[in-house]
């Protein structure tokens, strides 16, 4: 028998709440009669803001409390930004739905400059993402890169207070929060690569509950699942760590999948790039192939493998 109520565990940031509300609306529309509630909660990833994510335990910190709520029966599903979901899920959990992807590009956000090229020598750019730092270093070795954590509103507030000349955020997050007007220009493929899974929303639930999983699977977007599977397989084959700058972007066209990947060294500003095409039923193999090409170019040195 199907459950009559689904409870969504979510973080409390404006973006997380928007995404959880979005999923709640989709579930109510897709399954008339179903009651859907939000269970907002704080995670360690949200609370520890004074240290880089990589040093306090990585992306899993954003998931842990939500997973505990599901294990303890306080929630039936959790909604995440897929890019915050580690390549390897905790045992007993699955991603029954991945929603259609929004704009996966990063956004150049500034109150004074139109794009990266317009920044003066030595300008201060805020981002704590190693992937964004590595790409900024490669394109503009002269920039001063400064840490910037916190939710989207906090980051924009620090930019507006004058702490940075520009910051880099995800276009998808800004669009969801009705802040698309803050996007001065897009940092997009093929030159600039997003995080694996960026701009896709993922639904996580416990395995072994066919009724719940079937309700959630109705929201899955098959094409998005294919492309992000290739990106995540590449990331996983490179060690799946968030202490290493990794970018990935997979496109699905008439002739199948095309995956681009990059690995950077956080300090040196060097980037290794690889790309390959493959049939759409070989997403995982494609991800592993591009990872193998990056390793063949010497990525292991960057990854500390
Ligand atoms: N790191 C936090 C985070 N996780 C997902 C998004 C944006 C939305 C998405 O990629 O789906 C953001 C904000 C940002 O990077 O600017």
């Amino acid at each position: 028998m199907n459950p009559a109520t689904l409870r969504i565990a979510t973080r409390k940031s404006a973006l997380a709440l928007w995404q959880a509300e979005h999923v709640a609306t989709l579930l109510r529309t897709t399954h008339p009669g179903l009651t859907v509630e939000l269970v907002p909660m704080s995670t360690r990833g949200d609370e520890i803001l004074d240290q880089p994510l990589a040093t306090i335990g990585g992306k899993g910190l954003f998931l842990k409390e939500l997973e505990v709520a599901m294990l303890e029966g306080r929630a039936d599903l959790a909604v995440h930004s897929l890019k915050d979901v580690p390549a390897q899920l905790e045992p007993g959990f699955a991603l029954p739905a991945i929603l259609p992807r929004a704009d996966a590009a990063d956004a150049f956000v500034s109150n004074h400059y139109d794009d990266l090229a317009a920044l003066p020598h030595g300008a201060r750019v805020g981002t704590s993402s190693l992937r964004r730092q590595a790409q900024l270093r490669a394109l503009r070795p002269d920039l001063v890169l400064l840490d910037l954590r916190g939710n989207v509103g906090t980051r924009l507030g620090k930019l507006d207070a004058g702490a940075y000349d520009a910051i880099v955020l995800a276009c998808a997050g800004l669009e969801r929060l009705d802040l698309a007007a803050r996007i001065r220009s897009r940092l997009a493929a093929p030159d600039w690569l997003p995080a694996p899974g960026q701009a896709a929303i993922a639904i996580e639930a416990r395995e072994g509950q066919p009724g719940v999983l079937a309700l959630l699977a109705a929201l899955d977007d098959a094409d998005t699942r294919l492309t992000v599977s290739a990106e995540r397989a590449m990331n996983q084959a490179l060690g799946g760590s968030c202490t290493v700058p990794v970018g990935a972007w997979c496109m699905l066209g008439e002739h199948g999948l095309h995956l681009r990947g990059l690995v950077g060294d956080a300090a040196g500003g060097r980037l290794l790039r690889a790309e390959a095409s493959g049939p759409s039923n070989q997403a995982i193999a494609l991800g592993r192939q591009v990872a193998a090409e990056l390793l063949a170019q010497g990525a292991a040195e960057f990854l500390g493998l």
Side-chain angles (χ1 to χ4, degrees), residues 5-13 16-17 19-21 24 28 35-43 46 62-63 65-70 72-80:
T5 301
L6 288 180
R7 294 155 301 164
I8 304 181
T10 172
R11 296 164 53 198
K12 287 180 187 162
S13 73
L17 288 171
Q19 295 180 166
E21 288 288 2
R28 292 181 193 116
T35 301
V36 186
E37 293 165 4
L38 262 51
V39 185
M41 56 190 70
S42 189
T43 71
D46 298 300
F62 288 120
L63 275 74
E65 277 81 1
L66 309 186
E67 287 170 342
V68 169
M70 290 187 274
E72 291 179 350
R74 289 180 279 119
D76 305 294
L77 63 144
V79 173
H80 309 292

Side-chain angles (χ1 to χ4, degrees), residues 15 19 81 83-84 132 152 155 169-170 172-173 176 198-200:
L15 180 60
Q19 295 180 166
S81 295
K83 79 163 176 176
D84 297 332
R132 289 169 178 154
V152 174
R155 295 189 213 187
L169 291 169
R176 288 173 188 148
Q198 184 159 322

Side-chain angles (χ1 to χ4, degrees), residues 140-254:
R140 285 287 305 267
D142 62 293
L143 297 177
V144 176
L145 304 184
L146 301 171
D147 274 320
L148 172 58
R149 281 203 58 212
N151 61 40
V152 174
T154 307
R155 295 189 213 187
L156 288 170
K158 290 182 184 172
L159 171 73
D160 294 342
Y164 311 94
D165 297 301
I167 63 175
V168 180
L169 291 169
C171 285
L174 290 168
E175 282 162 10
R176 288 173 188 148
L177 295 175
D178 225 359
L179 292 167
R182 302 293 307 247
I183 303 172
R184 290 295 282 265
S185 51
R186 292 170 72 252
L187 297 162
D191 306 323
W192 180 284
L193 298 189
Q198 184 159 322
I201 294 171
I203 299 180
E204 185 187 26
R206 286 172 71 181
E207 287 172 340
Q209 6 165 40
V212 172
L213 293 174
L215 290 171
L216 302 176
L219 302 190
D220 189 53
D221 183 71
D223 287 358
T224 302
R225 183 177 285 274
L226 279 181
T227 55
V228 300
S229 296
E231 294 166 12
R232 287 170 60 77
M234 187 200 90
N235 196 25
Q236 188 161 16
L238 292 171
S241 150
C242 74
T243 60
V244 171
V246 172
W249 172 240
C250 185
M251 291 183 310
L252 176 62
E254 272 173 52

